[in-house]
Amino acid sequence: MQTPSTWLEISIEVEPEAVETVAEILAHYGYNGGVVVEQGWIAGDEGPEFQYDPTRPVWLRTYLPFDDQVEETRQRIEHALWHVSQIRPLGPLQTRTLVEEDWANAWKQFYSVLRIGERTVIIPSWLEYQPQPDDIVLWLDPGMAFGTGLHPTTKLCLQLLERMVQPDQHILDLGTGSGILAIAAAKLGAGHVLALDNDPIAVRVAQENVERNQVNAVVQVAEGSLGVGQAMGHWLSGDFGPAEPDPALRVQTPQATFDLIAANLIAKVLVTLAPDLAAALKPGGYLISSGIIDIKEHEVIAAFTAAGLTLVERHCEGEWVALVHRR
């Protein structure tokens, strides 16, 4: 496929809590699903390793081929962001035109080595990095919303996976997105990881990242969901399936299959899928749920309790919450 020679860069400044939502929108329309996330960085002691400052605004960028559809696509992005701005403040949408050489190097300056938790290190593949003996290294490239590993919901999940993954476990990563949690679980010693997403773009990107990290033998990426989640569209579309879920879909949920489930979704989806998540866990298995804003936490806990799960841990960063339940 020939790469276009002229590009429209679209950029917007957002608060850290809005990064994941806005990145999803830009990835939906951007070339190859690519999104650049420019964080406020705090330099490490040496080398290219950085930590990010969660109090600073974040710049997000994506690129559109400058073709006959570019203006229509720009308007679609603007319209989607307007809906987000009714909930969270966003900066103005900015655009500029780049020729191929400019575009090819435009995003690389925004990427650095990022350490999350005690052992997980996210590294752009073109940077040199000498891993420490216990590092769990995740090699990721654009073609995805790279910054989703920085969002509190994903960060909380990675920290919990570091502590909870045991050798040879059967793990489900539901709503895998970039595949970052599935890859981390595999490198932490899981025996088999099923990575599901109902967005075909996410499935493609996750598969590419799985191959890049050479965990193909452990991670299976597939399009789909659990139980009634099969009737849902992508969460950005607002399609959460029928008001009364089809009971026949729940019958299709794999029973007592997984030792550990990571579900980094949103509260509404977690509530709807609570019976399916509980059924898919082995007795004694654990569910990590995240993507929960604090004002919706009680709804998720109530749904999981009704499904027979017991809350054993709660973690938060800002207004975002991650829960650990046991069956």
Side-chain angles (χ1 to χ4, degrees):
M1 180 177 66
Q2 184 176 4
T3 302
S5 58
T6 308
W7 301 85
L8 183 69
E9 179 188 76
I10 292 188
S11 57
I12 187 168
E13 188 179 40
V14 305
E15 294 302 312
E17 292 80 6
V19 167
E20 192 144 319
T21 300
V22 174
E24 287 270 9
I25 292 170
L26 297 183
H28 183 73
Y29 292 103
Y31 183 76
N32 278 351
V35 178
V36 172
V37 181
E38 180 186 357
Q39 296 279 352
W41 296 104
I42 302 171
D45 295 333
E46 57 182 299
E49 186 171 335
F50 286 75
Q51 295 177 329
Y52 79 100
D53 183 347
T55 66
R56 299 183 187 178
V58 178
W59 278 97
L60 299 177
R61 307 174 196 272
T62 195
Y63 298 89
L64 308 178
F66 212 100
D67 55 22
D68 294 341
Q69 287 77 46
V70 66
E71 177 57 20
E72 179 183 350
T73 305
R74 185 200 65 78
Q75 291 178 13
R76 288 179 181 273
I77 293 172
E78 191 172 54
H79 180 71
L81 292 175
W82 179 87
H83 286 286
V84 177
S85 72
Q86 303 309 295
I87 304 171
R88 297 187 180 280
L90 302 178
L93 193 67
Q94 299 185 20
T95 62
R96 64 171 176 156
T97 302
L98 301 173
V99 298
E100 183 172 2
E101 183 178 356
D102 296 331
W103 174 81
N105 295 293
W107 40 265
K108 285 193 176 182
Q109 61 182 303
F110 303 116
Y111 291 82
S112 300
V113 174
L114 175 68
R115 181 175 292 277
I116 295 176
E118 297 296 324
R119 303 171 59 196
T120 304
V121 187
I122 302 174
I123 307 175
S125 64
W126 62 87
L127 290 183
E128 293 186 5
Y129 178 76
Q130 185 62 44
Q132 300 302 308
D134 292 332
D135 280 353
I136 301 299
V137 178
L138 311 182
W139 297 95
L140 300 177
D141 267 352
M144 51 164 288
F146 184 79
T148 55
L150 310 176
H151 190 273
T153 62
T154 314
K155 182 180 176 183
L156 289 167
C157 286
L158 285 168
Q159 291 168 337
L160 286 166
L161 286 174
E162 278 191 349
R163 184 160 53 83
M164 297 182 68
V165 173
Q166 299 296 319
D168 300 322
Q169 281 183 327
H170 195 182
I171 295 175
L172 171 64
D173 175 17
L174 187 61
T176 192
S178 67
I180 187 171
L181 299 183
I183 294 165
K187 293 197 171 190
L188 286 162
H192 181 264
V193 183
L194 176 60
L196 293 179
D197 204 294
N198 59 8
D199 179 0
I201 295 176
V203 170
R204 174 181 57 79
V205 170
Q207 183 61 48
E208 291 171 356
N209 283 319
V210 165
E211 293 171 2
R212 180 174 291 115
N213 284 272
Q214 300 181 339
V215 290
N216 314 53
V218 177
V219 180
Q220 175 190 355
V221 182
E223 184 175 349
S225 185
L226 279 185
V228 299
Q230 298 172 78
M232 295 182 181
H234 192 276
W235 68 270
L236 273 174
S237 70
D239 177 10
F240 299 108
E244 294 296 330
D246 183 356
L249 291 176
R250 294 217 191 270
V251 175
Q252 299 176 25
T253 299
Q255 301 296 301
T257 300
F258 301 103
D259 300 291
L260 178 64
I261 297 176
N264 185 20
L265 301 168
I266 61 173
K268 185 177 181 66
V269 176
L270 290 168
V271 168
T272 303
L273 294 184
D276 298 302
L277 289 163
L281 275 177
K282 293 179 180 178
Y286 289 92
L287 166 63
I288 299 170
S289 60
S290 192
I292 307 165
I293 198 163
D294 52 11
I295 59 173
K296 297 288 187 180
E297 177 185 359
H298 67 284
E299 298 178 14
V300 176
I301 292 175
F304 286 173
T305 300
L309 300 177
T310 301
L311 178 65
V312 293
E313 292 184 33
R314 177 189 185 273
H315 303 269
C316 64
E317 183 172 328
E319 62 187 342
W320 295 100
V321 177
L323 304 172
V324 179
H325 283 78
R326 183 176 185 271
R327 177 178 175 183

